Amino acid sequence: MSTMDKDLRVELPLWTIGLLVLMMFFTYHAVEFWNLVFFQFDVFIAETGAFNWKLPTFSWLGISMVSFILFYGIFFVRFKAHNRKSPNKKLLFFSFFRPGELLDDDEMLQQVSKNVTQKIYILYSSVLPVLVLLMFFPLHRFVFIFAIFTILIAQYAMVYWDMKKFFNGRYQFKEIPHIRKANVYVWRGFIIILALLLFLGVGRIVQVHTNSKDLLTNMEECMDKGGTAIVEGGTFWTLSKFSCEKSN
């Protein structure tokens, strides 16, 4: 088992996690770049009228892209060496139907792969409803991108952890919770979070309505006194603010 322990197929989840971390770093700066392109394009133009290549966005985007390419290059060298050394255990560079980290060399490994696949199913059935609920909030889109990457990293960490325990002789073939039973807990959590969101949402609506009535009253009083009513719009997290400027 010591030979299998050093098999690239066992290490593959770690390589994938590293790749996902770099992709997350790259995606953050790519999202920031496209936000500037679509919503603040004027920042790309310097005061002289020339294109501004000195923006930090370009530097970070370049660094993240180079890091991603270098990591992929190192992995490709390791990948080629593995396939050359182990022709009977070749990995495909791109695999859409069967991940290379799920091993089926014997019945025990098949059972380990089956168990970890069930755990991953439970992971997704648990966290995806929560991720959907987060979409009710006006959060930055990178929050959702980060959440997706985190789920993927957790998936590959689970695979590596179980495979590593198996090859170290510490794996126990215990019955994992039945999926239906696990889903009961998921739905309970889903209902609790939904109720909390409804409570917060209704409370926020009442708060905004009350604040709007107060604003109207204050505006009328301000104009009756000959002042100028100024209302600063709020966001989801803050209420609109009112001020009254007296005319000279």
Side-chain angles (χ1 to χ4, degrees), residues 53-64:
W53 291 101
K54 297 181 180 180
L55 285 174
T57 301
F58 287 118
S59 301
W60 286 113
L61 190 61
I63 291 172
S64 58

Side-chain angles (χ1 to χ4, degrees), residues 204-219:
R204 187 61 174 171
I205 291 172
V206 172
Q207 192 177 21
V208 170
H209 178 69
T210 303
N211 185 63
S212 298
K213 291 177 65 176
D214 292 340
L215 284 176
L216 289 174
T217 302
N218 293 333
M219 288 173 64

Side-chain angles (χ1 to χ4, degrees), residues 35-47:
N35 280 341
L36 293 177
V37 169
F38 287 109
F39 304 112
Q40 300 179 30
F41 189 78
D42 55 322
V43 300
F44 291 104
I45 309 301
E47 294 180 357

Side-chain angles (χ1 to χ4, degrees), residues 4-150:
M4 283 292 295
D5 194 16
K6 298 179 181 179
D7 194 321
L8 178 60
R9 296 178 301 168
V10 180
E11 299 174 354
L12 193 58
L14 289 182
W15 285 95
T16 308
I17 289 173
L19 187 65
L20 288 171
V21 171
L22 291 176
M23 284 181 64
M24 184 162 52
F25 181 64
F26 170 76
T27 303
Y28 174 82
H29 295 291
V31 168
E32 186 180 37
F33 171 77
W34 287 113
N35 280 341
L36 293 177
V37 169
F38 287 109
F39 304 112
Q40 300 179 30
F41 189 78
D42 55 322
V43 300
F44 291 104
I45 309 301
E47 294 180 357
T48 59
F51 196 82
N52 186 9
W53 291 101
K54 297 181 180 180
L55 285 174
T57 301
F58 287 118
S59 301
W60 286 113
L61 190 61
I63 291 172
S64 58
M65 188 179 298
V66 170
S67 301
F68 180 82
I69 293 173
L70 285 176
F71 185 88
Y72 222 100
I74 295 171
F75 170 74
F76 185 75
V77 173
R78 178 74 176 88
F79 165 81
K80 294 293 288 185
H82 167 82
N83 284 352
R84 185 170 55 252
K85 185 178 180 181
S86 306
N88 296 328
K89 301 174 183 177
K90 281 188 175 182
L91 286 170
L92 297 175
F93 199 69
F94 294 103
S95 178
F96 297 99
F97 300 104
R98 179 169 180 78
E101 61 271 9
L102 296 179
L103 308 181
D104 57 358
D105 294 27
D106 53 45
E107 291 184 1
M108 294 181 70
L109 275 174
Q110 290 176 10
Q111 187 61 43
V112 174
S113 296
K114 178 182 177 181
N115 288 350
V116 76
T117 302
Q118 289 179 331
K119 291 178 182 178
I120 292 170
Y121 175 86
I122 294 173
L123 169 70
Y124 277 100
S125 65
S126 301
V127 299
L128 288 183
V130 177
L131 184 59
V132 171
L133 287 178
L134 284 177
M135 294 180 182
F136 284 93
F137 294 91
L139 303 174
H140 193 281
R141 58 178 171 169
F142 185 73
V143 172
F144 304 107
I145 297 174
F146 176 81
I148 293 171
F149 274 113
T150 302

Side-chain angles (χ1 to χ4, degrees), residues 190-246:
F190 184 85
I191 292 172
I192 291 173
I193 294 174
L194 183 60
L196 181 62
L197 285 175
L198 289 174
F199 175 78
L200 293 175
V202 171
R204 187 61 174 171
I205 291 172
V206 172
Q207 192 177 21
V208 170
H209 178 69
T210 303
N211 185 63
S212 298
K213 291 177 65 176
D214 292 340
L215 284 176
L216 289 174
T217 302
N218 293 333
M219 288 173 64
E220 290 176 357
E221 292 178 355
C222 178
M223 289 185 288
D224 289 341
K225 295 178 181 179
T228 302
I230 300 175
V231 178
E232 297 179 11
T235 64
F236 179 84
W237 308 106
T238 60
L239 296 173
S240 299
K241 296 180 180 179
F242 170 80
S243 60
C244 182
E245 290 188 357
K246 295 182 179 180

